[in-house]
């Protein structure tokens, strides 16, 4: 029987739940204050005037207060739309009821209107962190009576039902449109006395870059107006480098500019060279050197006299790795947003040069106070970590020694309620909810951080090389040379010195013989004093020459020792490359084994459940066959790993490259089933292509190349760029070409593709192609990028010269 009528059970809420909500959702009193100020903004006010008085009683300042006994208050006054009695009753007094949420859902806003920031109906609960009582004075226009309501937070612990909380109300004469929120009986008045702390926190809560558009905030504490931090144009002009990102909803545009002084090397010798070789001509020659060595970014001389060089790049959202897609396989856009980041130097010499502050300590404190990259929605701060861009991770992971650092970087990411509704804040205002739009938002920011690190690292490393080049007195050793090239150059110079040494030895003997002959011929005659002194000086010079020649010979001997050490180091380095490559192979092996083990786990769990049934199922036989197949798969993986182990690395054997590649393609086909990936091997020659090489090395070489193509093809398949991914290997003695039908090579890494730690892959190590080239060089072969471009205008094909291992009979 259904129970109806007055006696029917119904839900209610204990007031402590609401009290607990406000306590948990708002971190501290300043965050609570911001939420209340945002209500003024949402009410379309042009200002919010916040007055904090830690000493005055409500009765003295507000004769009509409902709570005359309370001392200390926070008053927030605005000229917004105000609230009618119905608005107060049906919206403001109803927990989690927010007309803003419905309006935002319907998108009922003209282009000139403000889009409300709040929509949860919970922000006002944070007032309990500030004071004991809440009073609202509000009016919708000056022609109607104003409304006055109030309550005490203490009542929430004294009553059992939310509806029983006593609320006082009154109407008074007309007053101008707007709202005054009065919070009486400050809970911790001493916390409001630290004005510096409040000013620092306001920089987090209100954007110090541009403030809040068409909205002014004034804060006064005990009669003293606080400075709402503002980062002026002059302050930003003191930065050493500045970066900007703009995302228009589909395309990300990145730019940066760097001052010449920002490239000053830290080491004293290089720093002195920088002053004489770079600063003297305004960096003109240095720029030419930078422009030749930074092909991965579009670099240009800055048009502004205040800056040295500028960089720019752009990407489509669809170009990024691991992007989140919607049901139609389109990238989920977080909406348009922008950001700017400035980096300041806190070096003692640079701090002394600044002219913004009277004392250097003030400048450093200002930078440290505002340091961090914060997120602002329409000018109001979102509580995120100061290191929101994870700049410190670059230092801890060793990614970049020269990149931006969180301690001296000031910046912002600017989003809006209108353009970024998909970026949803958590209920406690401590960040964003994990949604597809937010994950793509983070990917775009990671791309920006990677850009800043690469730009600064390239520019500073090239500057160091340029200084080193000019430090060299001979000027004939290029900074980009390998250790082998440098050693060869020194060896050549030493051989030239040895020739000069032999000449000097011969000249010394000639001079000494002439001096002795002169003495013998004049044995009975006394030599003039001047001639005697000349002979003595000649003898001293000969002795000094002897010492110099011996020193030069010792340098040559020491260099031979050094050369032997370089050769030993090269051998150890080659072994290190092998170990690194073995690690990559082991990583792929572990990935495949995980799939096999996961399959075994699922199937065995299923069979165990079936075995509990009667009669015994036929699936047992199927499972045994699956185990056998899995074991066979593991054996295949071990067989692939074995040639890479140390005992097999030096073994060279003759084998047919076409058969080797065909076997390799069959292995990967089995690994990819039933995915839309394939490898095609094409013999463009007349016969076989036999090579004499280490099979393990060649397995690692082609595995690295195939796994690289596989990664990008999976990205393109996932994004719907291609219907089927294909890797094409074409062979014609002694050359081999490997390409795929994916997106191709990013232009920014074209010039440095085979250098270590260079990668366009998110989270990649940048070692695969470097190891490929090193292994091929160890076999007397080489690899480069073929100059043809695909339909996207990108390089896409690798060309190998295998002359070093090719059998001449092939």
């Amino acid at each position: 029987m259904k129970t109806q009528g007055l006696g029917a059970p119904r839900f209610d809420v204990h007031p402590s739940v609401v009290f607990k909500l406000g306590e948990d959702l708002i971190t501290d009193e300043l965050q609570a204050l911001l939420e209340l100020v945002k209500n003024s903004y949402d009410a379309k006010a042009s200002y919010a005037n916040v007055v904090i008085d830690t000493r005055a009683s409500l009765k003295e300042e507000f004769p009509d207060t409902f709570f005359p006994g309370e001392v200390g208050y926070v008053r927030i006054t605005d000229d917004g739309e105000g609230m009618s009695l119905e608005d107060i009753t049906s919206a403001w007094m109803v927990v989690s009821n927010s007309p803003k949420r419905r309006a935002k859902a319907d998108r009922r806003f003209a282009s000139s209107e403000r889009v409300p920031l709040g929509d949860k109906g919970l922000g006002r609960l944070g007032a309990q962190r500030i004071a004991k009582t809440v009073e609202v004075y509000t009016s919708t226009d000056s022609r109607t009576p104003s409304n006055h309501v109030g309550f005490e937070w203490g009542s929430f612990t004294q009553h059992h039902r939310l509806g029983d909380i006593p609320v006082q109300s009154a109407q008074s004469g007309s007053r101008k449109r707007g709202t005054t929120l009065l919070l009486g009986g400050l809970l911790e008045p001493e916390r409001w006395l630290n004005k510096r702390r409040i000013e620092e926190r306001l920089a987090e809560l209100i954007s110090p870059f541009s403030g809040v558009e068409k909205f002014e905030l004034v804060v006064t504490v005990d009669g003293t107006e606080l400075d709402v931090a503002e980062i002026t144009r002059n302050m930003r002009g003191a930065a050493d480098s500045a970066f900007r990102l703009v995302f228009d909803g589909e395309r990300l545009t990145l730019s940066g500019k760097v001052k010449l002084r920002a490239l000053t090397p830290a080491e004293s010798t290089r720093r002195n060279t920088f002053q004489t070789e770079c600063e003297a001509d305004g960096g003109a020659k240095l720029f030419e050197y930078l422009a030749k060595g930074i092909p991965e970014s579009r670099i240009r001389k800055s048009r502004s006299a205040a800056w040295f060089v500028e960089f720019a790049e752009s990407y489509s959202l669809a170009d990024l790795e691991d992007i989140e897609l919607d049901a139609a396989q389109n990238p989920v856009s977080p909406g348009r947003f922008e950001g700017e980041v400035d980096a300041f130097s806190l070096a003692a010499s640079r701090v002394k040069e600044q002219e913004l502050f009277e004392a250097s300590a003030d400048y450093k404190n200002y930078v440290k106070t505002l340091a961090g990259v914060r997120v602002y929605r329409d000018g109001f701060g979102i509580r995120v970590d100061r290191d929101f861009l994870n700049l410190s991770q670059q230092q801890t992971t060793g990614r970049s020694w020269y990149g931006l650092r969180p301690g001296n970087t000031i910046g912002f990411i600017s989003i809006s309620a209108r353009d970024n509704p998909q970026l949803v804040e958590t209920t406690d205002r401590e960040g964003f909810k994990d949604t597809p739009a937010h994950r793509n938002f983070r990917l775009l920011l990671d791309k920006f951080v990677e850009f800043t690190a690469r730009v600064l690292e390239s520019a500073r490393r090239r500057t160091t090389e340029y200084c080193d080049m000019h430090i060299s007195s001979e000027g004939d050793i290029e900074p980009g040379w390998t250790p082998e090239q440098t050693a060869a150059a020194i060896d050549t110079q030493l051989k030239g010195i040895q020739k000069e040494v032999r000449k000097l030895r011969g000249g010394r003997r000639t001079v000494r013989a002439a001096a002795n002959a002169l003495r013998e011929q004049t044995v009975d005659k006394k030599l003039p004093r001047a001639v005697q002194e000349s002979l003595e000086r000649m003898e001293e010079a000969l002795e000094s020459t002897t010492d110099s020649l011996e020193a030069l010979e010792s340098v040559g001997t020491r260099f031979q020792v050094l050369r032997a050490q370089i050769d030993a180091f090269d051998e150890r380095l080659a072994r290190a490359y092998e170990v690194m490559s073995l690690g990559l192979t082991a990583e792929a092996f572990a990935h495949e084994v995980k799939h096999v083990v996961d399959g075994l786990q699922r199937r065995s769990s299923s069979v165990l459940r079936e075995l509990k049934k009667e009669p015994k199922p036929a699936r047992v036989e199927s499972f045994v066959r699956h185990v056998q197949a899995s074991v066979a798969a593991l054996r295949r993986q071990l067989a692939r790993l074995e040639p890479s182990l140390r005992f097999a690395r030096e073994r060279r054997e003759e084998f047919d490259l076409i058969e080797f590649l065909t076997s390799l393609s069959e292995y990967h086909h089995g690994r990819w089933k039933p995915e839309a990936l394939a490898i095609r091997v094409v013999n463009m020659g007349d016969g076989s292509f036999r090579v004499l090489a280490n099979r393990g090395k060649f397995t690692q070489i082609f595995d690295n190349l195939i796994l690289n193509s596989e990664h990008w093809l999976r990205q393109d398949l996932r994004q719907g760029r291609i219907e089927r991914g294909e890797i094409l290997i074409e062979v014609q003695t002694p050359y081999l070409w490997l390409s795929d039908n994916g997106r191709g090579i990013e232009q920014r890494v074209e010039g440095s593709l085979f250098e270590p730690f260079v990668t366009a892959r998110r989270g990649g190590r940048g070692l695969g192609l470097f190891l490929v080239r090193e292994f091929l060089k160890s076999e007397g072969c080489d690899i480069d990028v073929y100059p043809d471009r695909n339909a996207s205008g990108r390089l896409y094909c690798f060309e190998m010269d295998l002359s070093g291992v090719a059998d001449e009979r092939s």
Side-chain angles (χ1 to χ4, degrees):
M1 181 179 69
K2 293 183 179 179
T3 304
Q4 298 181 354
L6 294 176
R10 61 189 178 91
F11 283 105
D12 205 337
V13 177
H14 193 279
S16 62
V17 173
V18 176
F19 195 82
K20 181 73 171 146
L21 257 179
E23 186 178 60
D24 290 345
L25 296 180
I26 306 300
T27 308
D28 56 33
E29 73 281 359
L30 283 171
Q31 181 67 36
L33 182 65
L34 176 69
E35 293 299 322
L36 298 172
V37 170
K38 284 160 69 174
N39 283 340
S40 296
Y41 176 86
D42 288 348
K44 302 178 182 177
S46 64
Y47 71 86
N49 185 12
V50 179
V51 176
I52 302 166
D53 195 314
T54 62
R55 300 182 295 265
S57 69
L58 292 188
K59 184 176 182 179
E60 295 171 356
E61 299 291 325
F62 308 95
D64 60 345
T65 178
F66 295 130
F67 312 105
E70 300 298 341
V71 176
Y73 64 85
V74 171
R75 185 189 71 206
I76 304 173
T77 305
D78 67 51
D79 62 347
E81 295 175 322
M83 291 182 286
S84 66
L85 186 58
E86 182 182 354
D87 293 332
I88 295 172
T89 304
S90 62
W92 200 82
M93 299 290 294
V94 179
V95 176
S96 193
N97 181 28
S98 175
K100 305 173 194 175
R101 181 167 59 242
R102 294 189 293 273
K104 287 171 75 171
D106 297 339
R107 307 289 290 170
R108 303 194 304 264
F109 303 104
S111 59
S112 60
E113 283 187 291
R114 283 183 192 169
V115 179
L117 298 172
D119 62 7
K120 298 178 175 63
L122 298 172
R124 54 190 174 275
L125 298 182
Q128 64 176 280
R129 284 198 170 272
I130 299 175
K132 301 175 184 176
T133 66
V134 177
E135 293 182 74
V136 179
Y137 300 83
T138 184
S139 177
T140 55
D141 61 62
S142 58
R143 298 185 301 274
T144 59
S146 62
N147 298 294
H148 178 198
V149 298
F151 62 88
E152 295 180 276
W153 287 113
S155 301
F156 283 71
T157 60
Q158 299 168 5
H159 295 79
H160 296 287
R161 295 180 183 277
L162 190 61
D164 294 339
I165 300 295
V167 177
Q168 302 190 54
S169 65
Q171 285 190 325
S172 58
S174 61
R175 53 185 287 166
K176 66 178 182 178
R177 192 183 80 157
T179 298
T180 295
L181 184 66
L182 180 63
L183 310 179
L186 293 183
L187 295 176
E188 298 179 274
E190 67 280 359
R191 291 179 66 83
W192 299 99
L193 297 177
N194 188 342
K195 298 180 178 63
R196 182 181 179 86
R197 168 181 168 269
I198 299 173
E199 289 174 346
E200 290 178 4
R201 285 296 311 280
L202 285 174
E204 298 178 10
L205 303 177
I206 302 291
S207 172
F209 289 87
S210 56
V212 180
E213 187 178 6
K214 297 180 181 180
F215 183 80
E216 183 180 3
L217 175 64
V218 179
V219 181
T220 304
V221 178
D222 288 341
T224 302
E225 185 175 325
L226 302 186
D227 290 328
V228 178
E230 180 183 2
I231 299 180
T232 63
R233 183 174 298 179
N234 288 339
M235 179 65 191
R236 299 191 66 185
D240 277 358
S241 58
F243 294 91
R244 178 175 171 80
L245 72 154
V246 177
F247 181 64
D248 64 5
E250 295 181 358
R251 192 159 195 84
L252 177 67
T253 301
L254 307 173
S255 58
K257 47 190 179 181
V258 179
K259 290 181 178 175
L260 180 60
R261 71 185 187 193
L263 303 180
T264 306
E267 193 270 326
S268 59
T269 304
R270 288 170 176 158
R271 187 166 61 248
N272 294 335
T273 303
F274 181 85
Q275 292 171 352
T276 57
E277 297 293 337
C278 302
E279 292 184 335
D281 66 351
K285 292 180 181 177
L286 174 62
F287 175 77
E288 293 178 7
Y289 188 77
L290 293 178
K292 290 178 183 177
I294 309 180
E296 66 266 29
S297 295
R298 289 185 285 125
I299 179 174
R300 72 179 185 190
K301 195 81 169 64
S302 178
R303 295 173 183 154
S304 168
W307 300 93
F308 175 46
V309 291
E310 297 179 0
F311 303 85
E313 289 179 1
S314 67
Y315 300 89
S316 167
L317 177 60
D319 287 339
L320 303 187
E321 289 184 69
D322 302 322
I323 58 171
E324 297 289 335
L325 306 175
D326 60 19
Q329 297 301 296
N330 295 317
V332 177
S333 175
R336 62 179 69 238
F337 68 92
E338 62 183 42
E340 298 181 20
V341 176
D342 300 331
F344 297 82
S345 174
L346 296 181
S349 58
R350 206 73 55 79
V351 170
K352 290 179 182 178
E353 295 173 1
Q354 64 84 25
E355 300 175 352
L356 297 172
F357 295 82
E358 292 183 5
S360 298
D362 292 337
Y363 171 79
K364 293 183 73 170
N365 288 335
Y366 193 81
V367 172
K368 290 179 178 179
T369 296
L370 296 177
V373 177
R374 300 179 176 88
V375 182
Y376 299 96
R377 192 189 294 270
D378 293 309
F380 288 96
I382 297 173
R383 291 287 290 273
V384 297
D385 190 277
R386 278 197 176 195
D387 190 18
F388 181 68
L389 295 183
N390 296 325
L391 299 179
S392 57
Q393 190 175 347
Q394 295 184 91
Q395 297 169 266
T396 57
T397 60
R399 283 186 186 174
S400 174
W401 178 257
Y402 299 105
L404 297 175
R405 305 196 176 196
N408 58 354
T409 299
I410 301 176
F412 68 90
I413 305 298
S414 178
I415 64 176
S416 69
R418 183 182 300 277
D419 294 325
N420 311 102
Q422 305 94 327
L423 299 178
V424 183
E425 295 167 54
T426 56
T427 305
D428 61 4
R429 306 297 202 275
E430 295 287 333
F432 295 97
K433 291 183 178 179
D434 184 21
T435 63
H438 175 254
R439 288 194 285 273
N440 285 350
F441 176 60
R442 292 296 328 193
L443 283 178
L444 291 164
L445 295 178
D446 288 346
K447 199 71 175 176
F448 170 66
V449 173
E450 184 267 335
F451 166 75
T452 63
R454 181 162 34 82
V455 162
L456 291 174
E457 182 154 359
S458 298
R460 288 174 175 169
R461 285 193 187 281
R462 291 288 292 176
T463 301
T464 299
E465 291 173 2
Y466 183 81
C467 292
D468 288 347
M469 183 173 64
H470 285 82
I471 289 172
S472 171
S473 58
E474 295 295 330
D476 55 353
I477 297 177
E478 295 292 337
W481 280 3
T482 64
E484 292 83 358
Q485 290 173 311
T486 303
I490 295 174
D491 201 18
T492 301
Q493 290 177 352
L494 285 173
K495 287 177 180 177
I497 289 173
Q498 287 172 352
K499 288 181 181 178
E500 297 301 319
V501 166
R502 286 193 291 271
K503 290 180 183 179
L504 284 172
R505 286 187 183 281
R508 185 181 62 179
R509 286 193 296 270
T510 301
V511 171
R512 182 164 286 169
N516 291 334
L518 181 61
R519 285 193 179 94
E520 290 174 359
Q521 291 173 7
T522 58
V523 69
D524 297 327
K525 300 178 182 179
K526 190 175 181 180
L527 290 174
R529 184 175 180 82
V531 174
Q532 186 68 33
E533 290 177 352
S534 296
L535 284 173
E536 289 174 358
R537 285 197 297 270
M538 190 183 299
E539 290 288 347
E540 291 174 1
L542 287 173
E543 290 301 322
S544 176
T545 302
T546 301
D547 293 341
S548 298
L549 292 176
E550 289 175 354
L552 285 172
E553 287 177 333
S554 69
V555 169
T557 303
R558 290 169 184 167
F559 174 72
Q560 294 307 319
V561 174
L562 177 62
R563 185 64 186 267
Q565 291 175 341
I566 290 174
D567 292 340
F569 175 75
D570 285 343
E571 183 178 349
R572 289 195 296 271
L573 195 59
R575 291 190 179 278
Y577 294 155
E578 292 172 352
V579 172
M580 282 190 282
S581 184
L582 182 60
L584 295 176
T585 301
E587 188 177 67
F589 170 72
H591 179 73
E592 292 303 316
V593 169
K594 182 179 183 299
H595 284 304
V596 173
V597 171
D598 287 348
L600 280 172
Q601 178 66 38
R602 288 193 301 271
R603 293 290 293 273
S604 60
S605 298
S606 175
V607 168
L608 284 173
R609 287 193 298 271
E610 293 290 333
L611 285 174
K612 295 177 181 178
K613 301 176 181 178
E614 293 292 345
K616 298 301 182 186
R619 290 186 60 186
V620 174
E621 183 181 356
S622 173
F623 175 66
V624 171
R625 289 175 181 169
H626 176 72
V627 171
Q628 291 173 337
S630 298
V631 170
L634 288 173
R635 289 186 184 280
R636 286 197 301 272
Q637 287 290 341
L638 288 170
R640 286 176 51 72
L641 185 61
E642 186 180 33
S644 301
L645 298 177
R646 184 173 181 180
F647 70 85
R649 281 202 301 265
E650 299 306 322
R651 192 175 2 183
R652 295 167 66 88
E653 59 183 291
E654 184 178 324
F655 57 90
D656 188 294
L657 186 62
I658 307 296
E659 293 179 359
F660 171 82
L661 293 172
T662 301
S663 173
L664 198 67
S665 67
E666 290 173 354
Y667 163 76
H668 285 289
H669 280 147
R671 201 169 59 81
W672 290 333
K673 286 180 181 178
E675 296 175 275
L677 291 168
I679 301 179
R680 188 157 59 96
V681 180
V682 177
N683 185 1
M684 301 175 65
D686 297 330
S688 63
F689 183 176
R690 300 196 67 78
V691 297
L692 180 63
N694 178 265
R695 188 183 290 266
K697 281 185 181 178
F698 265 61
T699 299
Q700 291 173 308
I701 287 167
F702 285 100
D703 268 354
N704 281 341
L705 292 169
I706 290 169
L707 291 172
N708 188 57
S709 285
E710 176 187 342
H711 172 81
W712 294 109
L713 288 173
R714 287 185 188 279
Q715 294 286 324
D716 291 337
L717 284 168
R718 182 171 170 271
Q719 297 172 26
R721 292 171 179 263
I722 54 177
E723 294 182 0
R724 181 176 175 79
E726 181 180 78
I727 300 171
L728 175 63
I729 303 177
E730 300 172 288
V731 182
Q732 185 173 20
T733 311
Y735 294 99
L736 180 147
W737 298 268
L738 187 147
S739 62
D740 62 58
N741 64 333
R743 65 185 71 185
I745 299 167
E746 279 196 25
Q747 293 183 1
R748 66 179 177 83
V749 297
E750 285 181 1
S752 54
L753 197 60
F754 295 99
E755 293 179 13
F757 311 113
V758 172
T759 180
R761 182 172 173 175
R762 183 168 176 261
R765 296 181 180 84
L767 290 173
L769 292 176
F770 167 69
L771 292 171
V772 165
R773 173 169 275 183
E774 291 300 320
F775 280 163
L776 285 171
K777 282 183 177 180
S778 71
E779 297 285 351
C781 306
D782 202 2
I783 183 172
D784 212 332
V785 183
Y786 197 69
D788 283 359
R789 294 183 180 270
N790 59 18
S792 301
R794 291 183 172 188
L795 300 174
Y796 70 100
C797 179
F798 292 104
E799 180 181 59
M800 286 189 204
D801 180 354
L802 301 177
S803 302
V805 296
D807 190 328
E808 295 179 357
R809 296 169 295 177
S810 297

